[in-house]
């Protein structure tokens, strides 16, 4: 029996504006799509918060026993500045400034993105498609929308006819906007004469002669609109109708609204059952912004090389800080807040380490089963990580009472307590016990140095067979020895 069969999970659906009981389309399986990064710069800390939020959701669904297909894209076409239909492609602009090929920019920042998320201990998605790898699918989607009468070609570009779509569907249902109000509030933009209406958005843009990233299409050389890629890739890997679509709150309009319109115009059905949005991260009470200098990058937190924090903080402490707020609430990042988080994180890790030294007796004075269910109740209530963390600190209290001999516990309950603490802290919240890892590294170093000493002794005694045996065994374990005039050092492969 899977855990999901006796845990009723509720999640907040941005489409209905209510918490709803989660019922997947196919029993035991979940399809989830999350909008990934546009790789033209180092990953923003606010984006990291979104990806950590959906990593928590991915982890908990897996823990409940669901088979999850988690698709998160890479936008490597470089959509237009400010996500409008006019302006300069962000990746092409960066490539021009740095005198590099656009795909060098994409590679550089894709690698950075993956490295940062790995440091945060995010699990990789099941599939990570790229926009440039799905140009054919995007062109086919545009063809289908034109065929169904909801798009038109204009001067080599193709636009989505929002007014026509709104007559038979509802454009604005996710963001709660009214099309007439949107049109009346829109100022005239350059290039507007190509469109029938100000709210029409590009499905395919004609590439001007200087535009580097371009592909042939039935409408001439061009590149896909930003909203189109997610429609093409989500439906390719999850089908025309799937369970969860997530992203940052800033994507609700226009990006996700346009996705719904494209899907409905293409397939005739609403694509997603549950829309989920993670809220923003502020810094010292203000919006993060490179231009104002109110900004900090993940690596600057880990290294301490910044003017915002009193010292360096580890990735697990930064992750713990983010999970102390609910994913739908605004979270303010500050020195005081992360210092407090580090203290809480250390208390949690100390308690987990202390569990090993607690001795069981024949009678329990603590109700561990009810406490464990309260941890599930927190996560079942729209993935409420701050309430879960509060419950885990109740578990820390239990551990301290047991350590001090003020409460007693049976072997069965001790196993239950230990398993629940470890499961929720490491498997669900995705934290790492960094002090334990450092301790393990120190032990490994001591053992390898001892073996290097034995090998040096064997070489001095001309026992080259033993010397080679030690080197070969370490190589098999991924530990490479390097001999020099100064002595022998080692590195992990």
């Amino acid at each position: 029996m899977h855990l999901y069969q006796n845990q009723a999970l509720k999640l907040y659906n941005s489409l209905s504006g209510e918490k709803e009981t989660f019922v997947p389309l196919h029993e035991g399986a979940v399809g989830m799509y999350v909008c990934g990064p546009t790789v033209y710069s180092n990953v923003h800390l606010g984006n990291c918060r979104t990806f950590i939020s959906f990593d928590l959701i991915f982890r908990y669904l897996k823990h409940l026993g669901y088979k999850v297909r988690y698709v998160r894209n890479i936008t490597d076409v470089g959509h237009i500045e400010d996500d409008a239909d006019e302006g300069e492609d962000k990746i092409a602009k960066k490539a021009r400034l740095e005198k590099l090929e656009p795909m060098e920019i994409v590679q550089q920042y894709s690698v950075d993105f993956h490295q940062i998320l790995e440091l945060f201990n995010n699990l990789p998605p099941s599939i990570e498609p790229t926009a440039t790898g799905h140009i054919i699918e995007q062109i086919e989607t545009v063809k289908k929308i034109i065929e169904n009468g909801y798009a038109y070609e204009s001067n080599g570009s193709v636009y989505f006819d929002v007014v026509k779509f709104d007559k038979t569907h509802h454009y604005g249902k996710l963001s709660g906007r009214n099309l007439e109000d949107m049109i009346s509030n829109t100022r005239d933009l350059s290039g507007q004469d190509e469109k029938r209406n100000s709210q029409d958005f590009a499905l395919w843009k004609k590439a001007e002669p200087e535009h580097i990233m371009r592909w042939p299409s039935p409408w001439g050389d061009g590149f896909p609109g930003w909203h189109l890629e997610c429609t093409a890739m989500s439906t390719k890997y999850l089908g025309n109708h799937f369970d969860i679509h997530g992203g940052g709150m800033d994507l609700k309009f226009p990006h996700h609204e346009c996705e719904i319109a494209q899907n409905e115009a293409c397939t005739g059905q609403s694509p997603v059952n549950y829309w989920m949005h993670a809220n923003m991260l502020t810094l010292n009470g203000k919006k993060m912004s490179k231009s104002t200098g109110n900004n900090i990058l993940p690596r600057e937190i880990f290294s301490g090389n910044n003017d915002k924090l009193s010292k360096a903080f580890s990735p697990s402490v930064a992750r713990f800080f983010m999970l102390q707020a609910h994913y739908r609430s605004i979270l303010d990042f500050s020195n005081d807040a992360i210092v407090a988080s580090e203290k809480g994180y250390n208390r949690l890790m100390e308690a987990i380490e202390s569990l090993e030294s607690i001795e069981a007796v024949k009678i329990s004075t603590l109700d561990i089963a009810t406490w464990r269910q309260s941890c599930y109740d927190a996560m079942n209530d729209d993935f409420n990580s701050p309430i879960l963390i509060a419950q885990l600190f109740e578990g820390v209290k239990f551990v301290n009472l047991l350590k001090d001999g003020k409460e007693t516990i049976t072997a069965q309950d001790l196993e239950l307590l230990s398993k629940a603490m470890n499961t929720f802290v490491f498997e669900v919240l995705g934290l790492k016990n960094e002090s334990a890892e450092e301790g393990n590294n120190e032990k490994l170093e001591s053992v390898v140095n001892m073996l290097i000493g034995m090998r040096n002794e064997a070489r001095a005694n001309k026992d080259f067979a033993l010397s080679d045996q030690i080197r070969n065994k370490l190589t098999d374990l991924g530990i490479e020895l390097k001999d020099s005039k100064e002595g022998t050092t080692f590195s992990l492969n």
Side-chain angles (χ1 to χ4, degrees):
M1 187 172 173
H2 295 289
L3 278 170
Y4 64 77
Q5 291 169 299
N6 55 23
Q7 299 290 341
L9 172 62
K10 288 195 163 190
L11 52 82
Y12 182 86
N13 189 349
S14 299
L15 197 57
S16 65
E18 293 176 359
K19 282 183 194 173
E20 298 176 11
T21 300
F22 178 64
V23 181
L25 285 163
H26 306 286
E27 192 186 338
V30 178
M32 179 167 80
Y33 185 91
V34 173
C35 294
T38 302
V39 281
Y40 68 98
S41 63
N42 295 109
V43 64
H44 190 282
L45 192 62
N47 287 348
C48 290
R49 185 197 178 191
T50 296
F51 299 129
I52 288 168
S53 296
F54 284 100
D55 184 60
L56 172 77
I57 291 164
F58 181 37
R59 284 170 174 275
Y60 188 61
L61 291 170
K62 279 164 66 82
H63 171 69
L64 290 180
Y66 286 111
K67 185 179 179 183
V68 187
R69 178 177 284 178
Y70 174 19
V71 183
R72 187 186 67 214
N73 71 302
I74 295 273
T75 296
D76 59 348
V77 169
H79 57 78
I80 302 298
E81 283 283 12
D82 302 321
D83 313 327
D85 290 334
E86 300 303 319
E88 189 169 10
D89 176 314
K90 290 178 178 180
I91 290 170
K93 181 179 181 181
K94 188 83 169 187
R96 185 171 50 74
L97 291 172
E98 298 194 10
K99 294 184 170 56
L100 295 169
E101 275 286 329
M103 280 301 153
E104 285 182 90
I105 297 294
V106 164
Q107 180 69 8
Q108 179 184 334
Y109 292 115
S110 295
V111 168
D112 171 72
F113 172 69
H114 290 131
Q115 286 175 344
I116 293 295
L117 289 198
E118 196 175 334
L119 288 169
F120 274 123
N121 202 29
N122 274 25
L123 298 174
S126 321
I127 303 173
E128 193 170 48
T130 62
T132 54
H134 295 75
I135 298 293
I136 292 168
E137 288 85 349
Q138 292 176 76
I139 289 172
E140 290 303 311
T141 302
V142 176
K143 282 186 190 170
K144 189 83 173 132
I145 295 172
I146 292 173
E147 196 181 302
N148 291 345
Y150 293 111
Y152 56 92
E153 185 187 349
S154 175
N155 192 28
S157 294
V158 180
Y159 293 97
F160 190 92
D161 193 331
V162 172
V163 172
K164 188 171 180 186
F165 174 80
D166 194 55
K167 285 175 184 169
T168 51
H169 299 72
H170 176 195
Y171 181 77
K173 62 183 172 185
L174 179 66
S175 56
R177 298 177 186 220
N178 176 284
L179 183 58
E180 283 180 22
D181 295 341
M182 285 189 262
I183 290 172
S184 63
N185 292 333
T186 308
R187 57 191 168 83
D188 284 336
L189 296 168
S190 61
Q192 202 85 303
D193 55 328
E194 286 189 356
K195 301 181 188 182
R196 291 176 186 170
N197 297 286
S198 59
Q199 290 299 308
D200 292 354
F201 57 88
L203 296 173
W204 187 264
K205 282 291 287 180
K206 177 185 178 180
E208 297 306 326
E210 69 276 8
H211 202 97
I212 311 169
M213 299 179 87
R214 59 203 295 140
W215 290 266
S217 81
W219 317 285
D221 276 12
F223 54 95
W226 173 37
H227 315 303
L228 185 65
E229 60 175 286
C230 289
T231 291
M233 290 188 277
S234 62
T235 54
K236 173 163 182 171
Y237 297 109
L238 298 173
N240 290 339
H241 192 192
F242 55 95
D243 298 300
I244 297 171
H245 193 315
M249 200 77 84
D250 57 321
L251 298 180
K252 191 187 280 189
F253 187 88
H255 187 49
H256 291 160
E257 197 73 74
C258 294
E259 273 192 67
I260 292 173
Q262 287 169 164
N263 273 285
E264 291 185 358
C266 184
T267 67
Q269 59 179 303
S270 192
V272 178
N273 279 0
Y274 305 93
W275 283 89
M276 300 182 73
H277 292 94
N279 216 325
M280 66 189 289
L281 185 70
T282 57
L283 176 60
N284 294 321
K286 293 176 189 165
K287 189 178 177 182
M288 282 203 197
S289 162
K290 280 186 211 169
S291 57
T292 62
N294 194 50
N295 190 46
I296 189 166
L297 292 171
R299 286 190 202 278
E300 293 171 341
I301 296 169
F302 310 152
S303 67
N305 184 20
N306 64 78
D307 58 0
K308 307 282 188 302
L309 303 175
S310 55
K311 66 185 192 74
F313 293 91
S314 72
S316 257
V317 167
R319 182 183 176 100
F320 182 63
F321 162 77
M322 301 229 200
L323 294 173
Q324 282 184 292
H326 189 262
Y327 76 90
R328 283 194 292 115
S329 64
I330 292 173
L331 173 61
D332 188 52
F333 186 87
S334 69
N335 186 68
D336 289 351
I338 197 164
V339 165
S341 282
E342 187 177 51
K343 287 176 184 166
Y345 166 83
N346 289 336
R347 273 177 59 211
L348 202 51
M349 295 305 153
E350 283 162 19
I352 287 171
E353 287 171 18
S354 300
L355 277 164
E356 292 174 22
S357 61
I358 289 168
E359 291 183 10
V361 293
K362 288 184 179 174
I363 298 169
S364 274
T365 53
L366 296 167
D367 186 354
I368 302 301
T370 301
W371 166 78
R372 184 182 68 161
Q373 186 53 44
S374 70
C375 294
Y376 279 106
D377 292 344
M379 286 302 288
N380 291 339
D381 181 19
D382 193 29
F383 310 97
N384 201 323
S385 56
I387 300 294
L388 169 62
I389 289 167
Q391 291 302 332
L392 290 171
F393 279 117
E394 286 298 310
V396 171
K397 281 185 198 169
F398 293 166
V399 174
N400 291 335
L401 288 169
L402 292 165
K403 252 173 45 181
D404 297 343
K406 291 175 182 171
E407 299 282 1
T408 55
I409 195 165
T410 62
Q412 189 180 357
D413 275 358
L414 179 59
E415 188 184 343
L416 201 64
L417 174 62
S418 181
K419 192 175 177 188
M421 288 288 284
N422 279 279
T423 294
F424 282 104
V425 170
F426 301 123
E427 188 183 318
V428 175
L429 291 177
L431 301 175
K432 282 183 170 181
N433 188 346
E434 281 157 345
S435 63
E437 284 186 11
E438 282 168 22
N440 288 338
N441 288 343
E442 284 169 17
K443 285 176 191 169
L444 175 66
E445 200 171 325
S446 300
V447 170
V448 176
N449 284 331
M450 180 185 74
L451 289 168
I452 288 171
M454 288 169 65
R455 179 171 170 266
N456 289 341
E457 199 177 315
R459 289 167 84 191
N461 295 333
K462 296 194 166 32
D463 187 351
F464 298 115
L466 178 59
S467 164
D468 290 347
Q469 191 182 3
I470 292 170
R471 173 190 276 277
N472 294 340
K473 286 283 183 193
L474 287 171
T475 302
D476 290 345
L477 294 168
I479 299 164
E480 188 184 345
L481 298 185
K482 290 175 186 168
D483 296 317
S484 68
K485 289 176 186 174
E486 288 77 35
T488 303
T489 58
F490 73 93
S491 62
L492 300 178
N493 291 335

